[in-house]
Amino acid sequence: AELKKASKRLTCHKRYKIQKKIREHHRKVRKEAKKHGRKKPKKDPGVPSAAPFKEELLREAEQRKQRLEELKQKQKLNRQKEHEKKRKLEAKKNAAKIKEKAEGKESSGKSKAKTNKPLDKNSKKSFCRELKKVIEASDVVLEVLDARDPMGCRCPQLEQAVTCSGGDKKLLLVLNKIDLVPKENLEKWLNYLKKEFPTIAFKSATLMKDRTMEQFTKRRARVDLSRTTECFGSKCLLKLLQDHVRTQNKAIQVGVVGFPNVGKSSIINSLKGVRACNVGLTRGVTKSMQIVHIDKQTKILDSPSLIADPSNNALALALRTILNTEEPASADVLEGVDAILNHCSKQQVMMHYSIPDFRNTEEFLTLLAQKRGMLKKGGVPDVENIAKVLLCDWTGAKISYHSQPPESHRPPPYLTEDITAKMQECFNLKNLEAENKNTVQALKCPSPASSITFQSAGMTNGTIQENKVIEEASEWENLETSMEGEEDEEEDITESDDDQDDVEEEKDIREVTRKAKLGKRQSSPTNSEKQIAESKHSNSLSLSLDKTADEDDAYDFNTDYV
């Protein structure tokens, strides 16, 4: 066994003692320096006046100085020349690179340029492409739902695509974040959802150790590991998948899909037992398909989040769309906060945030910003950033709220009895119910009083096909082109109007000059005529703004004439 290196850490007593000794030593040195006094550097005495060749020596010294200065200047010039050469070479290289890129872009035509655009990982089109890959490649699809609003996390387009795909493709519902919902409400939702698809109650581990991460030291801050790392429902889900493998007699691929921040990657991490996928509070962390091997027979495919359709209501867009935290908060964020507050009971919100009564969302956000200390320069509450934080809290695992399932069960039109029976095949539903009951009993859930009641807005429409995303982009382009066309038309109209005004002004100027000539011929005009002429001149002043120099002279001569 290798010997550990001796620690360099000292006790406080020893460290303070050393510091004291150092201070005393410095004090002693300063005291001695004061006693002896500072020795001034000796001045150069120069050549004595009695020296026989004084003038020659001085000339030689001056010549040496000049030579040194010349050498320094030459060296400086040489350095500058070298720097300029280097800069020119770098500039040429950069220009060549830019030319090569431009030529490459020109050679690859518009069609290639269009195909290269969606390769950006953050684009919606790439998200749809990766999601489609996952759905096509997987034998079992896990649709992850947030237990606080399960109906709002369901996507009818996704369910229809899986159920109507043909073959033996199965769809399972995973009810995640069950620790943020009261037990009674959770049981109601499980009873409601199991009528359509096999549903698993799940609570993913929120703090997973990475393989590369070091173990926690003793001196580190205490973490409530019982609440963070404990996972519920993983055994039940793995059993279901293993049973399906036995019935199929082949290895299966399991795709995990859902809207942003429902906990797709955290479910995979808790099934694997190690942090295999990146997880974060921000929405849209996963940007491409990731394959995670759980055992020899099962592979899990992590997918990017579903994209909510823009036709959805404000609440669905606020909770189910990907937010860009770097960009400044737009009006959509404030609308989303307004929609959330409208779908909750006001008293419970006030109790949760411990905020006094508020009239509107702006007042609520200002009060919350003041309470949390989110202020701009001059003590102005930062409403935009607090709105973003609030939306992140509502999609994350911070706030406990619950929605009630519909009173009467009405399955969607694409879900017939035959399809539900087909989806429930190959699964032991009795064992599943028993396992769900065990997880619910073992879990610590919040009381109904502490959880905020929330009104769900129903299923959220999503875009799965790339074509729909392209159509939206093309619509925007058409709108932009039409707007540009309208602007051009408006400019033409304004130009024509300006031309008409110029023609009218010229006519008025001609009339004024003609009257001026007539005025010259008259020898002594009367006072009334003077007044009329002045009034005409005042009117013509307002009209004639862009006149030539000759017309100005004529007009000025007439006004000066008495």
Side-chain angles (χ1 to χ4, degrees):
E2 291 180 3
L3 290 167
K4 286 184 180 179
K5 285 183 180 180
S7 177
K8 290 182 182 180
R9 295 171 78 180
L10 300 169
T11 57
C12 290
H13 174 71
K14 202 169 185 180
R15 192 166 70 247
Y16 295 144
K17 198 174 181 182
I18 292 160
Q19 286 171 5
K20 193 180 176 184
K21 289 275 182 187
I22 290 160
R23 282 200 299 274
E24 284 173 1
H25 173 71
H26 286 312
R27 203 181 294 127
K28 196 176 181 182
V29 168
R30 285 199 296 273
K31 213 172 184 181
E32 283 175 2
K34 262 187 182 180
K35 278 180 184 178
H36 296 296
R38 290 179 185 176
K39 289 181 179 178
K40 290 179 183 178
K42 287 180 179 179
K43 285 182 182 179
D44 184 20
V47 182
S49 56
F53 306 106
K54 184 181 177 181
E55 288 178 2
E56 289 175 10
L57 289 166
L58 288 167
R59 276 175 204 159
E60 282 176 8
E62 280 176 9
Q63 282 171 5
R64 274 183 222 138
K65 275 185 182 178
Q66 282 175 2
R67 280 174 207 154
L68 285 166
E69 282 174 4
E70 282 172 5
L71 275 168
K72 280 179 184 177
Q73 283 177 355
K74 280 179 184 177
Q75 286 171 359
K76 201 176 184 182
L77 287 165
N78 289 329
R79 273 188 236 127
Q80 283 176 355
K81 282 176 184 177
E82 283 174 6
H83 282 304
E84 279 174 8
K85 281 179 184 177
K86 282 179 183 177
R87 281 173 194 164
K88 282 175 184 176
L89 285 166
E90 283 175 3
K92 281 179 183 176
K93 283 177 185 176
N94 290 329
K97 281 179 185 176
I98 290 158
K99 275 184 183 178
E100 282 174 8
K101 282 179 183 177
E103 283 169 7
K105 281 179 183 176
E106 282 171 10
S107 62
S108 64
K110 289 179 182 178
S111 59
K112 282 186 181 179
K114 282 179 183 177
T115 52
N116 287 337
K117 274 183 186 178
L119 291 172
D120 180 21
K121 285 185 178 179
N122 292 322
S123 67
K124 289 182 178 180
K125 198 177 175 184
S126 71
F127 276 35
C128 288
R129 190 182 292 175
E130 293 294 318
L131 185 68
K132 206 172 182 183
K133 276 186 199 173
V134 171
I135 292 164
E136 285 172 0
S138 54
D139 301 309
V140 179
V141 178
L142 303 179
E143 189 181 8
V144 184
L145 312 176
D146 193 333
R148 297 172 291 183
D149 183 18
M151 199 57 80
C153 294
R154 284 182 71 178
C155 178
Q157 286 80 12
L158 172 75
E159 289 176 7
Q160 195 171 358
V162 174
T163 51
C164 302
S165 62
D168 294 328
K169 204 166 277 191
K170 305 288 179 188
L171 182 71
L172 300 175
L173 300 178
V174 180
L175 208 62
N176 195 19
K177 301 182 185 180
I178 54 172
D179 59 323
L180 301 170
V181 173
K183 278 186 183 179
E184 294 170 5
N185 185 258
L186 179 61
E187 285 167 359
K188 282 179 186 176
W189 273 113
L190 286 167
N191 291 327
Y192 179 83
L193 294 169
K194 75 179 181 184
K195 292 171 186 175
E196 294 177 13
F197 296 103
T199 311
I200 303 120
F202 203 94
K203 191 258 168 187
S204 56
T206 52
L207 188 86
M208 297 299 296
K209 290 179 189 177
D210 194 356
R211 286 172 185 173
T212 57
M213 283 169 70
E214 293 178 1
Q215 289 187 351
F216 296 113
T217 54
K218 289 178 183 178
R219 289 184 175 274
R220 201 165 173 181
R222 282 180 68 191
V223 183
D224 187 9
L225 296 173
S226 62
R227 190 170 180 277
T228 51
T229 55
E230 204 171 358
C231 175
F232 293 92
S234 59
K235 288 178 183 177
C236 173
L237 183 55
L238 286 168
K239 258 189 191 179
L240 272 179
L241 296 173
Q242 283 165 7
D243 292 340
H244 190 65
V245 168
R246 282 173 204 146
T247 52
Q248 294 290 315
N249 286 324
K250 62 169 188 176
I252 58 162
Q253 289 187 333
V254 183
V256 183
V257 295
F259 282 105
N261 242 352
V262 289
K264 300 182 289 296
S265 300
S266 55
I267 283 169
I268 293 165
N269 289 341
S270 50
L271 288 171
K272 180 75 176 169
V274 180
R275 190 178 175 182
C277 303
N278 286 328
V279 179
L281 291 169
T282 53
R283 304 179 193 181
V285 173
T286 308
K287 287 165 188 175
S288 59
M289 186 174 78
Q290 291 179 333
I291 300 165
V292 179
H293 294 262
I294 291 198
D295 53 38
K296 289 178 182 179
Q297 299 295 322
T298 52
K299 282 181 192 175
I300 289 191
L301 311 176
D302 191 11
S303 69
S305 55
L306 275 163
I307 292 157
D309 199 74
S311 62
N312 287 306
N313 55 10
L315 181 70
L317 290 170
L319 294 172
R320 308 286 164 240
T321 49
I322 297 162
L323 284 173
N324 193 352
T325 51
E326 291 177 3
E327 286 182 4
S330 59
D332 297 334
V333 177
L334 298 170
E335 279 178 21
V337 173
D338 189 28
I340 288 166
L341 292 172
N342 289 333
H343 283 76
C344 298
S345 65
K346 193 178 179 182
Q347 289 181 348
Q348 284 182 331
V349 170
M350 283 159 61
M351 287 284 285
H352 178 79
Y353 289 105
S354 61
I355 276 171
D357 193 12
F358 54 91
R359 285 169 289 181
N360 50 22
T361 48
E362 283 184 18
E363 194 178 346
F364 168 75
L365 289 169
T366 50
L367 289 165
L368 191 63
Q370 283 170 354
K371 197 198 169 193
R372 291 197 180 178
M374 287 185 80
L375 305 169
K376 290 182 187 175
K377 222 173 185 181
V380 179
D382 196 353
V383 174
E384 293 171 354
N385 282 328
I386 200 74
K388 279 186 180 179
V389 169
L390 190 124
L391 284 180
C392 289
D393 288 354
W394 276 76
T395 49
K398 279 192 176 182
I399 294 164
S400 170
Y401 62 91
H402 65 279
S403 59
Q404 293 296 332
E407 292 176 1
S408 59
H409 182 260
R410 288 180 186 176
Y414 58 83
L415 202 66
T416 57
E417 288 180 3
D418 295 332
I419 289 166
T420 50
K422 189 184 172 185
M423 290 294 145
Q424 289 172 357
E425 276 177 4
C426 310
F427 296 116
N428 194 344
L429 297 174
K430 286 181 181 178
N431 285 344
L432 179 62
E433 277 185 34
E435 287 287 337
N436 282 337
K437 278 181 182 177
N438 290 334
T439 52
V440 171
Q441 285 174 1
L443 195 71
K444 284 183 180 179
C445 292
S447 62
S450 62
S451 181
I452 299 166
T453 51
F454 180 78
Q455 289 177 358
S456 181
M459 286 190 182
T460 307
N461 293 319
T463 51
I464 297 166
Q465 295 177 357
E466 290 177 46
N467 299 330
K468 288 186 179 179
V469 178
I470 295 160
E471 280 168 13
E472 284 169 17
S474 62
E475 278 172 18
W476 280 109
E477 283 170 11
N478 292 331
L479 278 168
E480 283 172 4
T481 50
S482 65
M483 288 289 281
E484 283 172 7
E486 284 172 8
E487 282 173 4
D488 293 333
E489 283 173 8
E490 283 174 5
E491 282 173 6
D492 295 333
I493 291 158
T494 51
E495 281 172 8
S496 62
D497 291 338
D498 291 335
D499 294 336
Q500 285 174 3
D501 292 335
D502 291 335
V503 170
E504 286 173 3
E505 283 174 10
E506 282 175 7
K507 283 178 182 177
D508 292 327
I509 290 156
R510 282 170 191 168
E511 284 175 10
V512 169
T513 50
R514 189 169 53 77
K515 285 174 183 177
K517 284 172 185 177
L518 287 166
K520 281 180 194 176
R521 290 170 189 174
Q522 289 174 359
S523 58
S524 58
T526 57
N527 292 327
S528 62
E529 283 175 356
K530 279 181 189 176
Q531 286 172 1
I532 291 156
E534 280 171 9
S535 65
K536 281 177 183 175
H537 297 321
S538 64
N539 292 329
S540 66
L541 272 166
S542 62
L543 292 163
S544 62
L545 295 167
D546 304 324
K547 297 183 295 177
T548 57
D550 298 330
E551 287 165 356
D552 281 330
D553 292 337
Y555 184 74
D556 290 335
F557 178 76
N558 190 27
T559 49
D560 292 334
Y561 179 77
V562 179

